[in-house]
Structures are given as structure tokens and as C-alpha cells.
């Protein structure tokens, strides 16, 4: 029995090995698949970028192949955090132009970049073939979203540079440079802010089973214990990203930390509408930092606990012999 | 009638010299293991004193024993609901300070210290934490009235005395003390058994052994809730912090089963200890433990049955008590001291556990008279002991103290005991020195409610008993009892206090 099972698992292993060896041959042979690239673009880039649709959170990428060197593009798309940290002049200029919102590392592999570039900048040819180290990553398919990125795919060290917009960068007042996406005036947007609030706080569960936002985020206008302190305060999000930016972020939730939470539990279009209008409304409220309050609550809770223990077990036996010494 | 047999004990306090040999023998045999350093299954206390653990008699603090609520008898510790709510935190446990922090010395430092200008010392270190400790108390910290201004002064039994009597007890020329060796009393109504939470689902971790009444803890069932530690009013159940189990005196049952006296009995230098079988009526335990304080001693005597009564023998046999056990009970020195002579009394019977260890109160500190308000040895010699018979209320240690310790406050019972003890002494002295006219001797015997024959028997068993007369050990026939499950020869090798398998903390 055991030997038969071992033989079978050995066979499976062999098939996998052959597949893994063949995969890079297939991928390396093609310079990039524009259809695949479009799918990746829609999934990972469209939150902030358009092709010929004008500036939103990030630049319009129409004819980007003509504007930028292909090698620079490859490098920036795969590891924008490192490029920014290295004070690359083009990247720094772009950062300033686009409201100090850094491009996050989306965990796009070099083979995927080939596809994306085939879609964005057809005609240009890569000079360096993709390194074989990426060979083991499965070829992305357009229908199925890729599995949550593993640590090897995301930037290797979180301390190297912040891949996410930090809390300070969001809450700082909007820089005097003209916003690329002029924040729409608080005109009436579709959606119900109250429903959005319930979705945010978890009073109404998200339809696809995602974690309510409040678990990690705080936002202006919440009562009681307020939101979590694990992720940035979302009070200024709407005014910063604008209607289109917020909508695209909510639909893709492109940040690496949110991928594993919402990758297979996306928000529905109705939820996005409601949450967006709630975020807009919350932008007018004040939020207070969470950490300080939490310590106060913990201390109060501890004091209450000690008090209860002291009352419940106030007659416990203690210090019989020592009290004799004191009586003396 | 539900007649059962009980291995019972008498300690004759007049003979105790306070040498602690019993404690050391017990320690060396049973409690020299890790986790048992603070246990003294046998300890010797000085009275007046607070004992071990400190103030164990004060049940307002320790919540041991039983209380009578109307007709009901309940544990002072807690009912079943409180047992459940307190199960993870028993609030009435003595702390290590009430026992003492066990310590040893770093003897190695004496040999291994590098050469220097100073003499190396062996620092005391805790046996629990292994860190250096300042020794602030020990198991006999108030031995021989040491630290009496703190310890002896707070003896709970002194509450029965007047302020004047207490003040006199502290005067140097009036100071008196005596020793009370204590082991587990193997009670008829043990509070430790009743308090064991494991005992809610039968059978519990603590049980009273059917054939001889020894109260034992089954370490394989004990879950270490420690309710027995709190519930025992004598604080004779201890918690082993290393194994997470409770342990207590086992009356050296492996020795008893092979016909030997328990170690503390065997080694006793003053030969104060007696051991034998008593037959008692188990159907009357509740009734006996529920009487008023003043009647407790009488009721306790009444529950003990005459082993020569044919009715009792018949009932005992019906209950499976062996012929050997009955014939041993008929020779029991305990039956003589407790029931026939009415000399031995239970320790602090007001806790209502019906302890089966009895004490003959000490005559020695009492036998010293006061003349014109002064302690006067010369006067006693002049009057040839006679005033003692009439002046029991003027003794060095007042009778009320003894009554608090041995008779739940009933002075009459203690007085009877003392009259008889004094009569024995005067009678036997008169036999030798012929200093008492016959008429007066008759009067003394009548006052003590005794006869010359009884006096001679008491004198013999007190002063010159043989080993076999002190320890009338029943053949427990353990080899026959275990035959069904274990090879008796194998069992003989295995008898002892240990675990058949390695015990893990749960």
C-alpha cells in the first residue's frame, strides 16, 4: 500500500517538475501577451491610471512607451518603492506632481510586466529577456485573479520603504499643487451614507464576507471606541483621491495588506457606492488619534477588574502570621 | 448498628518531652521529596502557642471543619455552589508564610569558595525558588515559647481566660508550657473528604479506607483544587507544589499492613504514643457530630462501641470486620484510655470532625499549686499534694485553657480527667512511701470515681507498658485483600509512597 502511494505521489511530482521546467520556455518565448496585459492592467493598475482617460490618482498612461525608457518602466512597475527610495529623479518629480501619493508595490512580476507593456506600449521590444528566476510563478490567466501575493513576490522587507501611503502623507493638508483629479464638490452622489456607515462599522456585514473597514481603520465621526489603529485614518481619503480615485480604490483595493483580506471577497458595486458617499461625508468630520484613547480605556478596564477581584475575594485568607507581628 | 473498625491513637502528653524525633522520622520517610519541604505530617507544637501553620485553630480565618446550622451540619468552608465558583481560586488557603518558606544552605560554598581574606559562609536559600532568603519563620518558630510575646500570646485558647489569668501566664515565675504532637486525626467525619470537589462524582480523590478508617488521598485522582487543605481544621492536608497534588499523613499504612507501628509511633522517645483498634457505630456519625459543643466529648465517647459486647461483635461481623480485627479491638489500649478510663480526650472537638486521635492532658504544668496567690513549691511539699485535690481552679495553666483545647469548653470533663490523673499519682506514691492514711485514700479515689484496680491498670499502661501493649496492631491481611489483583510477594515490594507511573501536572 505505502509503496504504491509513494509511487503515485512521485509521479505527480514528476509531472509538476516537467511543467515547471516547460513554463519558462513558453513564457520566455513570447515577448508579451497584450490580452493578458490588459487583464492585469484592469485588475491592478486601473484604480489609479487610465489609458487616454486623463489623470486620476496617477498619470494617464497613453503612449507611455514613447515617453519613458522601457527599462525604466519595467523597473518602476515591478518595484516602485525601491525606485522612489533610491531618489530616482523622474520618480521624485512624478511623486511631487501627483500629490505625494507614492505608487505602491503591486507585486507585479517581470513576466507580467512584459504583458502589461505589450498592452500599454506595443511596438517596443524588450532588450533584456526576463530572468529565469521568475519561471516558477504560474502564468497568469485573465479569468482568475492571481492568488494573494506571497512574501517573495511583494517587496522583500517592509522596512525598506513604505509601499503604502502612510497615515501622515494622507492626513497632511492637500499640497498647493493643483490636484490632478479635481476633487468634486460635495454634490449629491448616488448612494446612502447611512448604509455606507453601517457597512464601514460592520453593523451590516459585507455581502461577500469581507472584514468590515472599522477593524483596521479609523474615520471621523465614529462614536465610542472608534476604529482600529492598524491602518491609516480614512477621514481625508475622499478629498484626496476624489470621486473616481476612491471608486477605483474601493473596487480593486490595491494595497498589499488588503489583498489577502479582500482578494476573494471583493466589495459589490452597491457597497462601493454607499461606502464612497460615506467616505465623502466623513471627510467633513473630525477624527482623533486612536492610540492614546486605547491606553486610557485599557487602564480603566484594568482598574475595574482589580476592583471586582478585590470585592469578590475580599475575605480571602492572607497574612495570618504577618498580622501577628503587626499586632505587637 | 453499622459497626466499623478504626485504627485509633492516644498521645499521653505528660510523657512528651518535645524532642521532635517523631517529626524527623516522618520527614525522613515521607516528606523529603521535592515539593514536600513545607509539609510536616507530624509536628510537635508548644502550647500556649500558635502552632503550625500559624493560628491553625482560628477557623474564623482558615474556615476549616464543620458548623452546626440549626440541625444541619455544613462545612464552614463553602457549599457546593461556592465550591464551583471558587474552584479556580480557593480564597482560604494558608500561604507559604503561614507554613514557612522551606530553606537549605549553600553548603558547597564552604568548600568551593576561592581563597580570600573572609571566611566563606553557607547562605540560606529557598528550597522553592533556590534564591537566597532571609529566614523569618520556621515550622517550630515558637518552640519552647520562643517569641512568646508574639506567638504564645496569640494562642486562640487563651480567649477562654480572664485578662488577669492571661497576665499571670506571662509572668516569669508562672510560665508553663507543654507539647502537643499532632498528626492527621483520621477523623470519623472528615471535612477534607467532604470538601473534595472530585468527590462530587463518586468516588472522590480522598477517601476513608473501609477496613481501618485511615483517610487517604489518591494521587492519581487528585486534581489539586486544594479544598481539603482549607477544609481540614487541623491543616493536616498539604499541597505538593511540585506534583500539583495534595498529600497528607497516611498513618504509615504500608508499615501497618506489615505489622509495624507507624514510624512516628515507633521512634517516640517518651513512649507517649499508643495505637489500637476502636469499633464505632457509623450510623451515628451525623447525630454525634451535631450535638451541642458541651456534649461533644460525651457523644464522641458514646459512638465508640464495646468490643466485648456480643451485639457489637455480631454487627461487626455482619459488616465484614474480621475476627482478628475484633480480637485486636478487645486488647486495644485506646479503648481503655478513651472509653473505660475516660482519660483521653479529642483535640479541639468543636470542629466536629470526630478526630480519632486522643490526648491524655498533661498533668505536669498543672500540678503546681498557688498559695496565697503565689506559686509556692515549698507549700506543696509541706502539704503533701493534698491541696491539689481541692484547688483545681488555682492551677498554673487554668483548666479552662485545657477545656478549650480538649473538650470544646466543657470544664467538667477536663476536671474529671485531672482528678483521676492526680488520684493515680497520689495512690501509686502512697503504695511506695505510705504517706496517705487509708480513709483519706478512699476519699481521694471516690472523688476521682476510680478504684485501686483501675489505678494500677492506668499506672501500668502509662508508666511501664511493653511495646506490644502500646501498639496493638491488627493483622490487616493485606496480602489476602490484594491477592485477587496482585501477587502478594510483588505487592510487598511495591508498598510505599510513590506513583506507579510518572505524574504529570494537569
Amino acid at each position: 500500500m505505502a509503496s504504491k502511494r509513494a509511487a503515485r505521489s512521485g509521479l505527480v511530482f514528476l509531472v509538476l517538475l516537467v511543467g515547471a521546467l516547460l513554463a519558462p520556455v513558453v513564457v520566455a518565448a513570447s515577448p508579451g501577451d497584450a490580452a493578458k496585459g490588459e487583464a492585469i492592467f484592469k485588475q491592478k493598475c486601473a484604480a489609479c491610471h487610465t489609458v487616454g482617460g486623463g489623470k486620476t490618482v496617477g498619470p494617464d498612461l497613453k503612449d507611455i512607451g514613447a515617453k519613458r525608457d522601457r527599462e525604466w518602466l519595467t523597473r518602476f512597475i515591478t518595484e516602485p518603492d525601491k525606485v522612489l527610495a533610491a531618489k530616482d529623479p523622474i520618480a521624485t518629480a512624478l511623486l511631487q506632481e501627483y500629490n505625494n501619493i507614492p505608487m505602491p508595490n503591486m507585486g507585479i512580476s517581470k513576466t507580467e510586466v512584459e504583458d502589461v507593456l505589450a498592452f500599454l506600449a506595443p511596438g517596443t521590444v524588450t532588450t533584456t529577456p526576463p530572468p529565469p528566476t521568475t519561471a516558477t510563478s504560474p502564468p497568469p490567466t485573465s479569468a482568475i485573479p492571481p492568488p494573494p501575493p506571497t512574501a517573495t513576490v511583494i517587496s522583500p522587507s517592509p522596512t525598506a520603504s513604505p509601499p503604502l501611503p502612510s497615515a501622515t502623507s494622507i492626513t497632511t493638508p492637500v499640497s498647493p499643487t493643483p490636484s490632478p483629479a479635481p476633487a468634486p464638490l460635495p454634490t449629491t452622489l448616488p448612494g446612502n451614507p447611512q448604509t455606507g456607515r453601517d457597512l464601514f462599522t460592520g453593523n451590516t456585514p459585507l455581502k461577500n464576507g469581507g472584514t468590515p473597514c472599522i477593524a483596521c481603520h479609523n474615520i471621523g465621526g465614529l462614536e465610542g471606541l472608534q476604529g482600529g489603529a492598524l491602518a491609516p485614518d480614512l477621514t481625508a481619503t475622499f478629498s484626496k483621491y476624489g470621486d473616481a480615485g476612491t471608486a477605483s480604490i474601493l473596487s480593486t483595493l490595491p494595497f498589499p495588506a488588503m489583498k489577502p483580506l479582500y482578494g476573494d471577497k471583493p466589495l459589490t458595486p452597491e457597497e462601493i457606492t454607499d461606502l464612497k458617499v460615506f467616505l465623502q461625508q466623513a471627510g467633513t468630520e473630525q477624527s482623533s488619534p486612536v492610540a492614546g484613547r486605547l491606553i486610557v480605556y485599557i487602564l480603566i478596564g484594568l482598574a475595574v477588574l482589580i476592583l471586582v477581584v478585590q470585592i469578590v475575594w475580599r475575605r480571602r485568607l492572607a497574612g495570618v502570621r504577618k498580622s501577628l507581628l503587626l499586632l505587637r | 448498628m453499622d459497626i466499623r473498625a478504626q485504627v485509633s491513637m492516644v498521645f499521653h502528653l505528660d510523657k512528651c518531652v518535645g524532642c521532635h524525633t517523631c517529626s524527623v522520622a516522618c520527614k525522613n520517610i515521607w516528606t523529603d521529596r521535592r515539593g514536600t519541604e513545607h509539609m510536616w505530617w507530624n509536628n510537635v507544637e508548644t502550647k500556649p502557642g500558635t502552632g503550625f501553620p500559624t493560628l491553625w485553630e482560628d477557623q474564623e480565618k482558615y474556615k476549616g471543619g464543620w458548623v452546626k446550622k440549626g440541625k444541619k451540619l455544613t462545612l464552614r468552608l463553602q457549599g457546593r455552589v461556592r465550591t464551583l465558583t471558587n474552584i479556580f481560586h480557593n480564597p482560604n488557603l494558608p500561604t507559604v508564610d503561614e507554613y514557612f518558606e522551606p530553606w537549605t544552605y549553600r553548603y558547597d560554598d564552604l568548600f568551593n569558595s576561592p581563597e580570600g581574606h573572609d571566611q566563606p559562609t553557607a547562605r540560606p536559600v529557598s528550597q522553592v525558588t533556590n534564591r537566597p532568603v532571609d529566614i523569618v519563620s520556621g515550622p517550630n518558630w515558637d518552640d519552647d515559647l520562643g517569641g512568646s510575646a508574639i506567638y504564645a500570646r496569640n494562642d486562640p485558647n487563651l480567649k477562654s481566660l480572664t485578662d488577669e489569668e492571661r497576665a499571670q501566664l506571662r509572668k516569669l515565675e508562672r510560665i508553663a508550657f507543654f507539647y502537643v504532637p499532632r498528626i492527621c486525626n483520621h477523623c470519623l467525619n472528615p471535612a477534607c473528604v467532604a470538601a473534595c470537589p472530585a468527590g462530587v462524582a463518586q468516588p472522590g480523590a480522598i477517601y476513608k479506607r473501609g477496613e481501618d478508617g485511615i483517610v487517604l488521598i489518591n494521587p492519581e485522582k487528585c486534581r489539586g483544587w486544594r479544598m481539603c487543605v482549607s477544609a481540614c481544621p487541623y491543616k493536616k492536608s498539604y499541597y505538593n507544589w511540585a506534583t500539583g497534588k495534595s498529600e497528607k499523613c497516611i498513618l504509615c499504612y504500608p508499615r501497618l499492613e506489615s505489622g509495624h507501628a507507624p514510624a512516628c509511633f515507633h521512634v517516640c522517645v517518651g513512649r507517649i504514643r499508643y495505637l489500637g483498634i476502636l469499633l464505632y457505630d457509623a450510623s451515628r456519625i451525623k447525630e454525634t457530630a451535631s450535638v451541642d459543643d458541651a456534649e461533644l466529648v460525651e457523644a464522641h465517647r458514646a459512638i465508640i462501641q464495646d468490643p466485648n459486647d456480643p451485639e457489637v461483635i455480631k454487627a461487626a461481623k455482619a459488616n465484614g470486620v474480621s475476627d482478628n480485627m475484633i480480637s485486636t479491638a478487645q486488647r486495644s489500649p485506646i479503648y481503655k484510655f478513651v472509653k473505660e478510663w475516660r482519660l483521653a480526650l479529642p483535640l479541639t472537638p468543636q470542629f466536629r470532625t470526630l478526630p480519632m486521635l486522643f490526648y491524655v492532658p498533661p498533668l505536669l504544668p498543672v500540678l503546681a499549686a498557688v498559695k496565697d496567690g503565689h506559686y509556692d513549691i515549698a507549700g506543696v511539699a509541706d502539704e503533701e499534694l493534698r491541696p491539689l485535690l481541692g484547688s483545681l481552679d488555682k492551677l498554673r495553666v487554668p483548666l479552662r485553657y485545657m477545656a478549650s483545647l480538649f473538650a470544646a469548653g466543657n470544664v467538667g470533663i477536663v476536671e474529671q480527667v485531672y482528678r483521676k490523673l492526680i488520684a493515680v499519682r497520689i495512690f501509686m506514691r502512697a503504695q511506695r512511701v505510705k504517706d496517705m492514711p487509708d480513709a483519706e485514700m478512699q476519699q481521694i479515689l471516690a472523688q476521682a470515681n476510680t478504684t485501686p484496680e483501675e489505678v494500677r491498670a492506668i499506672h501500668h499502661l502509662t508508666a511501664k507498658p511493653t511495646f506490644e501493649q502500646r501498639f496493638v496492631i491488627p493483622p490487616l491481611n493485606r496480602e489476602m485483600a490484594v491477592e485477587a489483583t496482585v501477587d502478594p510477594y510483588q505487592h510487598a515490594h511495591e508498598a510505599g509512597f510513590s506513583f506507579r507511573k510518572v505524574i504529570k501536572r494537569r
Side-chain angles (χ1 to χ4, degrees):
Chain A
M1 266 318 266
S3 65
K4 199 181 275 183
R5 200 181 302 150
R8 199 183 305 153
S9 64
L11 193 68
V12 171
F13 176 75
L14 201 70
V15 168
L16 284 177
L17 189 71
V18 169
L21 286 171
L22 282 177
V25 179
V26 175
V27 172
S30 112
D33 182 340
K36 278 185 192 163
E38 187 175 357
I40 294 167
F41 181 86
K42 277 185 183 160
Q43 192 196 344
K44 294 194 171 177
C45 316
C48 302
H49 299 284
T50 61
V51 182
K55 298 172 178 178
T56 54
V57 180
D60 186 345
L61 299 181
K62 192 172 162 55
D63 298 333
I64 195 70
K67 274 189 213 163
R68 306 271 180 240
D69 171 43
R70 185 170 176 115
E71 247 179 278
W72 183 89
L73 276 176
T74 311
R75 188 161 162 250
F76 191 70
I77 294 170
T78 47
E79 41 194 29
D81 44 343
K82 281 188 186 161
V83 176
L84 279 166
K87 296 263 185 311
D88 180 272
I90 305 169
T92 313
L94 281 170
L95 183 67
Q96 274 180 5
E97 189 185 342
Y98 287 92
N99 219 1
N100 279 326
I101 301 171
M103 176 160 147
N105 187 330
M106 301 301 294
I108 300 172
S109 67
K110 288 203 172 156
T111 32
E112 286 173 325
V113 168
E114 289 303 317
D115 295 337
V116 173
L117 287 181
F119 165 67
L120 285 177
T124 58
V125 178
T126 182
T127 50
T128 51
T133 48
T134 57
T136 47
S137 77
T141 53
S142 54
I144 306 160
T150 55
T152 50
V153 183
I154 315 178
S155 71
S157 144
T159 52
S161 68
L164 277 178
S166 69
T168 48
S169 76
I170 283 183
T171 48
T172 43
V174 175
S175 63
T177 52
S179 172
L185 297 169
T187 48
T188 48
L189 285 169
N192 183 351
Q194 188 52 45
T195 317
R197 186 193 188 83
D198 287 345
L199 290 168
F200 188 94
T201 56
N203 282 353
T204 314
L206 293 171
K207 202 174 172 191
N208 288 329
T211 316
C213 323
I214 198 170
C216 302
H217 293 284
N218 190 23
I219 196 164
L222 290 181
E223 280 149 20
L225 281 169
Q226 307 198 8
L230 292 170
D233 189 310
L234 300 183
T235 311
T237 305
F238 191 86
S239 60
K240 192 163 186 178
Y241 290 92
D243 186 14
T246 311
S248 61
I249 287 174
L250 282 174
S251 59
T252 51
L253 295 169
F255 308 103
M258 296 180 81
K259 275 278 160 206
L261 289 173
Y262 295 96
D264 51 352
K265 298 170 186 168
L267 304 173
T268 64
E270 299 82 45
E271 284 170 348
I272 290 169
T273 322
D274 291 333
L275 277 171
K276 196 175 63 177
V277 71
F278 168 65
L279 286 174
Q280 182 197 23
Q281 189 199 51
T284 60
E285 309 264 2
Q286 285 290 319
S287 76
S288 50
V290 176
R293 269 182 296 116
L294 215 55
I295 287 172
V296 172
Y297 286 130
I298 289 169
L299 287 179
I300 291 172
L302 197 66
V304 169
L305 195 70
I306 290 171
L307 201 69
V308 167
V309 167
Q310 292 294 336
I311 290 170
V312 170
W313 284 295
R314 67 191 175 282
R315 291 202 192 132
R316 68 190 181 280
L317 186 71
V320 173
R321 195 190 67 83
K322 279 186 182 139
S323 68
L324 291 187
L325 305 185
L326 293 175
L327 273 177
R328 202 179 161 197
Chain B
M1 264 209 278
D2 179 8
I3 301 295
R4 298 181 194 179
Q6 161 88 37
V7 179
S8 312
M9 305 140 272
V10 162
F11 289 1
H12 198 305
L13 295 187
D14 249 343
K15 303 208 281 176
C16 181
V17 295
C19 64
H20 301 279
T21 308
C22 45
S23 303
V24 172
C26 178
K27 189 91 195 145
N28 282 341
I29 295 179
W30 301 120
T31 59
D32 58 348
R33 292 161 289 132
R34 183 173 155 76
T36 64
E37 298 92 344
H38 65 292
M39 297 182 195
W40 289 89
W41 293 358
N42 181 105
N43 74 307
V44 183
E45 292 171 7
T46 302
K47 285 284 168 189
T50 52
F52 172 79
T54 312
L55 281 178
W56 61 269
E57 290 157 283
D58 190 344
Q59 303 309 339
E60 292 301 310
K61 293 192 167 68
Y62 286 104
K63 312 269 188 244
W66 301 86
V67 278
K68 208 176 112 186
K69 281 185 186 159
K71 282 188 173 177
K72 258 184 98 183
L73 202 61
T74 56
L75 284 176
R76 193 190 298 269
L77 181 66
Q78 57 203 6
R80 290 192 170 191
V81 176
R82 293 298 283 171
T83 303
L84 191 65
T85 56
N86 281 340
I87 198 141
F88 293 111
H89 172 63
N90 176 354
N92 300 302
L93 285 175
T95 66
V96 75
D97 190 61
E98 271 69 72
Y99 296 110
F100 67 105
E101 174 138 19
W103 75 88
T104 182
Y105 296 91
R106 277 191 189 146
Y107 294 109
D108 277 2
D109 289 358
L110 298 179
F111 303 102
N112 301 335
S113 294
E115 197 178 332
H117 295 296
D118 301 319
Q119 183 78 10
T121 55
R123 282 190 76 177
V125 288
S126 165
Q127 284 180 308
V128 181
T129 63
N130 222 15
R131 295 205 191 99
V133 283
D134 286 329
I135 299 164
V136 292
S137 72
N140 274 296
W141 208 241
D142 59 343
D143 204 18
D144 293 349
L145 294 184
S148 59
I150 298 166
Y151 295 102
R153 188 179 191 165
N154 284 295
D155 184 331
N157 298 298
L158 293 177
K159 284 186 187 135
S160 59
L161 308 187
T162 62
D163 285 347
E164 194 192 355
E165 284 170 328
R166 274 196 293 270
Q168 283 200 327
L169 260 179
R170 286 203 293 273
K171 284 185 181 161
L172 187 62
E173 63 275 14
R174 293 265 327 236
I175 274 183
F177 65 83
F178 57 99
Y179 302 105
V180 179
R182 297 201 300 121
I183 65 172
C184 170
N185 294 303
H186 299 280
C187 307
L188 288 189
N189 184 29
C192 57
V193 175
C196 180
V200 173
Q202 294 292 332
I206 315 184
Y207 59 101
K208 190 168 174 68
R209 207 157 80 155
E211 63 266 39
D212 52 15
I214 298 176
V215 178
L216 293 171
I217 296 177
N218 179 349
E220 280 167 18
K221 283 199 176 162
C222 176
R223 300 292 302 265
W225 302 119
R226 285 172 269 178
M227 297 303 173
C228 56
V229 178
S230 294
C232 172
Y234 301 96
K235 288 289 159 286
K236 279 294 171 188
S237 180
Y238 300 86
Y239 178 67
N240 181 329
W241 54 263
T243 59
K245 312 278 173 185
S246 292
E247 294 177 14
K248 63 179 285 299
C249 161
I250 57 175
L251 203 60
C252 289
Y253 74 81
R255 288 176 61 91
L256 282 179
E257 283 168 8
S258 49
H260 298 289
C264 55
F265 287 69
H266 196 122
V267 300
C268 182
V269 171
R271 303 183 178 182
I272 76 159
R273 298 184 179 217
Y274 300 81
L275 183 132
I277 294 292
L278 288 181
L279 299 180
Y280 67 97
D281 185 356
S283 64
R284 284 166 60 187
I285 289 175
K286 194 177 173 191
E287 162 200 335
T288 305
S290 308
V291 300
D292 289 337
D293 272 3
E295 298 156 22
L296 269 169
V297 174
E298 271 310 324
H300 198 160
R301 283 171 176 160
I303 200 174
I304 297 163
Q305 303 294 315
D306 181 356
N308 293 309
D309 182 341
E311 282 289 307
V312 173
I313 292 172
K314 200 178 142 202
K317 282 186 176 169
N319 242 357
V321 179
S322 69
D323 288 355
N324 271 334
M325 197 68 115
I326 293 167
S327 70
T328 319
Q330 287 163 349
R331 288 182 286 125
S332 168
I334 314 303
Y335 186 78
K336 288 182 182 129
F337 269 117
V338 175
K339 186 97 175 183
E340 272 180 30
W341 303 335
R342 303 161 70 83
L343 281 178
L345 302 170
L347 182 65
T348 53
Q350 64 267 32
F351 302 149
R352 298 174 184 277
T353 61
L354 306 182
M356 291 308 266
L357 162 54
F358 301 88
Y359 292 86
V360 178
L363 188 61
L364 200 59
V366 181
L367 190 60
V370 180
K371 199 179 179 187
D372 303 328
H374 294 286
Y375 176 52
D376 187 1
I377 296 169
V380 174
D382 288 349
E383 299 188 27
E384 292 173 341
L385 300 171
R386 256 169 246 142
L388 289 170
L389 291 168
S391 61
L392 277 179
D393 54 334
K394 284 188 183 174
L395 300 167
R396 254 199 313 185
V397 176
L399 275 187
R400 258 176 292 132
Y401 181 90
M402 294 300 181
S404 166
L405 200 55
F406 296 117
N410 188 337
V411 178
I413 285 179
V414 181
E415 193 177 328
Q416 287 168 11
V417 171
Y418 275 112
R419 292 223 181 272
K420 195 174 275 188
L421 286 174
I422 290 168
V424 171
R425 183 163 286 206
I426 293 174
F427 182 89
M428 292 314 295
R429 176 188 155 99
Q431 294 297 304
R432 178 70 63 181
V433 297
K434 313 278 184 205
D435 63 343
M436 190 70 73
D438 268 359
E440 208 167 329
M441 182 55 77
Q442 289 308 319
Q443 194 191 337
I444 289 167
L445 292 176
Q447 212 173 1
N449 194 20
T450 185
T451 61
E453 293 72 43
E454 188 181 81
V455 165
R456 283 206 173 86
I458 293 172
H459 169 257
H460 177 84
L461 200 56
T462 304
K464 40 185 188 179
T466 63
F467 194 87
E468 287 74 23
Q469 283 166 339
R470 281 188 283 139
F471 309 127
V472 184
I473 298 162
L476 285 170
N477 298 339
R478 195 69 190 157
E479 64 284 357
M480 283 153 81
V482 301
E483 210 168 23
T485 51
V486 196
D487 174 22
Y489 286 106
Q490 182 74 17
H491 179 77
H493 291 299
E494 288 176 353
F497 194 99
S498 68
F499 300 107
R500 275 180 287 144
K501 52 192 178 208
V502 176
I503 292 283
K504 280 185 198 155
R505 289 191 72 121
R506 287 202 255 197

